[in-house]
Amino acid sequence: MQQELFQMTDKGIYIPDADIYIDPWKPVEKSIITHGHSDHARFGNNSYLCHHLSKPVLKYRLGEMINCCSVEYNESFTINGIKFSLHPAGHIPGSAQIRIEKNGNVLVVSGDYKLENDFLSTPFEPVKCNTFITESTFGLPIFRWKKQSEIFKDINAWWQQNAAQNRASVLVAYSLGKAQRLLKGLDLHNGKIFAHGAVFNMNEVLRQAGLDLPYIERITADTNKSEFKNAMIIAPPSAVGNPWLKKFDPYSLAFCSGWMQVRGNKRRQAIDRGFVVSDHVDWPALNEAVKLTEAEKIYVTHGYTAVFVKWLRENNLDAHELKTEFTGESIIATDDINDEKNIA
Ligand SMILES: [Zn+2]
Ligand SMILES: [Zn+2]
């Protein structure tokens, strides 16, 4: 049996031969970051390495002064003789799986990923490996997503219906990734789109990085309220329950998340509609992704680890749980709060 290329430490996944961590949750000397969500990209590392599109996001969120290098997908580099490369994860712009190779033994760390092409992120690319570390945020058989074309039909119909009644449509989505994915799918014939400051800022960071995204007007104290009545407003999760929403009255409030598939989540947050839009693999896609890697050994992290490991073992795969400090969506919500603070 070959020795694993990684170790699990109290700071996260560590590659001892290269003395580097992947998405560490405590400050380290050297790190490779899969993508800009704050459960993966944290403060305090001495150096960061990521994809070109993640770099401006990391600089925006963690500070202009961070020491950050970036590479293109499929561009290999070596650290202490260990070969590394980043491969598209399809999760959000710049998101990457990390491939690590030593003496023909290949490890892939998935980060967060999805297989469906969102026409925003570079589409997921399966990478063959001996060992695959996969996320399992939605690793339960109940999670099955509708095709995104159908979801967008629903969202645009909801908008049209609200507009016909002179009601604003407030759509809640994470400012990094989800908000831009919505911009790609919304039907601009329905009316005007406005953005909350946190969404506006992130959209501008990605536009300046060269992503093909529309310019969306930011809501300020001076925005004429009459403009809202048939408009679409994209807001971050921190806006839910916030008095800021009052300026759109009358409005309908909807939330976009994979968690909307769980009954009760909508009611608990006092929202009118839940759209199941996820940037993670659902159950069938998770299984497909594991198969595509042809890995002999699978480590499961970041979500429903126990359930998915049990399932893989029942299917005669050598699967193990990898305990991480998983905090998932709750910590991503703090991204948006930080993005608001960044509003200049
Ligand atoms: Zn993520
Ligand atoms: Zn994550």
Side-chain angles (χ1 to χ4, degrees):
M1 205 192 98
Q2 254 170 327
Q3 218 201 325
E4 296 297 358
L5 291 175
F6 76 98
Q7 283 169 8
M8 203 58 206
T9 73
D10 62 347
K11 291 174 178 151
I13 297 169
Y14 178 58
I15 313 298
D17 289 304
D19 188 23
I20 199 162
Y21 289 83
I22 297 172
D23 293 350
W25 53 74
K26 284 181 185 166
V28 299
E29 196 51 42
K30 292 192 286 179
S31 66
I32 301 180
I33 304 298
T34 59
H35 66 289
H37 283 149
S38 64
D39 53 331
H40 299 259
R42 304 221 181 169
F43 292 97
N45 302 335
N46 271 341
S47 73
Y48 295 83
L49 194 152
C50 60
H51 180 263
H52 290 323
L53 264 180
S54 290
K55 186 174 173 176
V57 173
L58 261 57
K59 290 222 161 199
Y60 169 65
R61 286 191 156 165
L62 306 179
E64 200 47 51
M65 70 302 221
I66 61 163
N67 171 12
C68 184
C69 308
S70 60
V71 291
E72 189 44 90
Y73 293 126
N74 287 297
E75 176 188 340
S76 60
F77 53 96
T78 50
I79 305 174
N80 296 350
I82 308 297
K83 191 175 159 195
F84 288 81
S85 48
L86 272 55
H87 301 266
H91 173 58
I92 61 166
S95 64
Q97 309 174 72
I98 317 297
R99 182 185 186 277
I100 302 140
E101 181 180 350
K102 182 191 178 187
N103 300 333
N105 185 16
V106 177
L107 164 68
V108 170
V109 181
S110 75
D112 292 343
Y113 66 98
K114 70 171 177 292
L115 304 198
E116 189 175 26
N117 185 352
D118 62 9
F119 304 104
L120 172 73
S121 323
T122 308
F124 176 89
E125 179 186 288
V127 183
K128 290 193 175 37
C129 56
N130 303 91
T131 307
F132 185 47
I133 301 182
T134 181
E135 65 131 323
S136 59
T137 307
F138 292 103
L140 290 182
I142 57 157
F143 292 111
R144 283 159 205 269
W145 314 142
K146 272 206 239 178
K147 273 219 272 221
Q148 76 189 343
S149 54
E150 285 172 44
I151 302 169
F152 276 116
K153 228 181 259 171
D154 293 347
I155 295 175
N156 284 314
W158 169 75
W159 182 9
Q160 218 167 31
Q161 213 171 47
N162 291 330
Q165 295 167 21
N166 285 328
R167 218 171 22 210
S169 304
V170 182
L171 199 51
V172 175
Y174 293 115
S175 59
L176 171 58
K178 193 68 61 69
Q180 294 77 34
R181 187 176 173 193
L182 293 175
L183 287 180
K184 288 276 187 188
L186 288 172
D187 183 354
L188 297 164
H189 297 102
N190 282 344
K192 200 168 166 182
I193 304 178
F194 288 94
H196 177 280
V199 171
F200 173 86
N201 283 356
M202 188 49 74
N203 200 50
E204 286 307 295
V205 168
L206 292 171
R207 266 162 45 84
Q208 278 157 31
L211 225 62
D212 176 26
L213 289 164
Y215 173 85
I216 298 300
E217 197 175 317
R218 171 205 256 167
I219 297 153
T220 66
D222 302 328
T223 314
N224 188 341
K225 280 188 182 173
S226 66
E227 289 205 72
F228 295 142
K229 61 181 183 205
N230 50 14
M232 169 67 77
I233 291 114
I234 305 182
S238 58
V240 178
N242 194 301
W244 178 80
L245 287 173
K246 286 207 181 86
K247 65 171 83 194
F248 309 115
D249 242 348
Y251 66 90
S252 178
L253 183 65
F255 204 112
C256 292
S257 166
W259 298 110
M260 287 301 115
Q261 191 161 318
V262 181
R263 244 174 256 279
N265 274 348
K266 186 163 73 85
R267 217 173 319 129
R268 231 182 357 257
Q269 307 205 40
I271 44 188
D272 306 312
R273 277 294 290 269
F275 295 109
V276 185
V277 191
S278 176
D279 290 321
H280 296 265
V281 270
D282 62 359
W283 177 258
L286 175 62
N287 280 278
E288 194 191 333
V290 167
K291 217 172 277 167
L292 289 170
T293 65
E294 297 175 15
E296 298 113 51
K297 202 161 185 180
I298 294 113
Y299 287 92
V300 182
T301 177
H302 213 64
Y304 293 101
T305 53
V307 177
F308 192 49
V309 164
K310 185 165 175 276
W311 164 259
L312 290 174
R313 287 185 175 171
E314 281 164 12
N315 287 278
N316 300 318
L317 281 156
D318 186 7
H320 304 266
E321 265 185 88
L322 205 58
K323 294 281 182 202
T324 55
E325 211 184 47
F326 178 74
T327 37
E329 304 252 321
S330 61
I331 195 153
I332 300 179
T334 67
D335 283 348
D336 295 303
I337 293 163
N338 291 331
D339 287 344
E340 279 176 73
K341 285 190 193 132
N342 276 331
I343 297 171

